[in-house]
Amino acid sequence: NEGCAGHDGRVVEKELTLTLAEALADAVITRIPHATVLLTRTRDETLHLSDRVAFANASRADLFLSLHCNASRNHDQVGFETYLLDAQASHEEAALTAQRENDAAFARPAGEADEVATMLRELGLTQNRRHAAHFAAAIQREQAARFPDRRDRGVMQAKFDVLMGARMPAVLHEVGFLDHPDDGALLRS
């Protein structure tokens, strides 16, 4: 799955997000030399959404950021937004974004959850969600400061498969609408 495509078809989401993730990793290491940044992929490969979270969990990551490019039905939306995991979407557009990202081919494999493990995980979710909310707000603030002319679509919540099962604060950031001529051009630059 290549994800969404640019309005002119010159770039696809999976290529652009890998480039962005590599640049972000370099920037974090430059600013915080003692930090360890791990990417779920370092080449053109397809990873199931559950594999991404499993990698973060196995690595005992402190934070999990899933980078994506957005798309809209009419190719007329612009801006950046950050999501927290929640079963209830903030609004219809948030639900549609989650539905696009939760491609059935990449959904988590079916299986029964152990009740004790589920209860223990629920205890950690509250604190992780609070930290994820701070992380999401910081991402939005920094994006708004760096790109004041772009539309800040805010922090929202939706049920994203790629965030399910994370044992650390986890957010999904939509860097912009790749299918919009202006947003897509900015993202490619």
Side-chain angles (χ1 to χ4, degrees):
N1 184 347
E2 295 185 337
C4 65
H7 78 284
D8 58 5
R10 291 183 7 203
V11 68
V12 292
E13 180 180 14
K14 74 172 188 170
E15 295 169 356
L16 185 57
T17 55
L18 179 57
T19 299
L20 290 172
E22 290 169 338
L24 179 59
D26 289 344
V28 168
I29 291 167
T30 298
R31 289 185 176 99
I32 310 169
H34 63 277
T36 300
V37 178
L38 303 172
L39 301 178
T40 57
R41 64 185 180 98
T42 56
R43 63 184 190 282
D44 185 7
E45 64 182 313
T46 301
L47 292 177
H48 291 272
L49 299 178
S50 60
D51 292 337
R52 298 171 195 191
V53 171
F55 174 82
N57 287 340
S59 300
R60 301 175 59 102
D62 294 318
L63 292 171
F64 179 71
L65 171 63
S66 187
L67 285 177
H68 296 265
C69 296
N70 216 337
S72 62
R73 279 186 255 183
N74 298 322
H75 313 293
D76 60 350
Q77 299 293 310
V78 296
F80 53 91
E81 56 199 14
T82 306
Y83 286 90
L84 304 173
L85 176 65
D86 201 297
Q88 293 294 322
S90 303
H91 51 72
E92 182 182 358
E93 190 63 34
L96 290 171
T97 298
Q99 184 178 9
R100 279 191 301 274
E101 296 294 348
N102 294 342
D103 186 308
F106 296 102
R108 175 179 313 114
E112 292 186 21
D114 172 51
E115 283 186 45
V116 174
T118 300
M119 288 190 310
L120 291 174
R121 183 168 139 47
E122 290 293 325
L123 292 173
L125 280 179
T126 301
Q127 184 163 342
N128 282 345
R129 189 167 184 342
R130 187 173 32 251
H131 289 303
H134 289 295
F135 184 35
I139 290 171
Q140 286 299 117
R141 263 193 323 274
E142 290 301 315
Q143 288 293 294
R146 186 169 181 151
F147 302 103
D149 296 333
R150 294 191 65 217
R151 182 169 177 221
D152 178 348
R153 298 171 62 95
V155 174
M156 292 175 269
Q157 57 192 34
K159 184 180 174 191
F160 283 96
D161 287 346
V162 73
L163 300 178
M164 302 263 298
R167 295 185 201 131
M168 72 287 302
V171 301
L172 182 145
H173 181 63
E174 296 279 1
V175 297
F177 286 80
L178 189 56
D179 67 339
H180 187 275
D182 297 335
D183 244 17
L186 178 64
L187 294 175
R188 284 193 316 271
S189 73

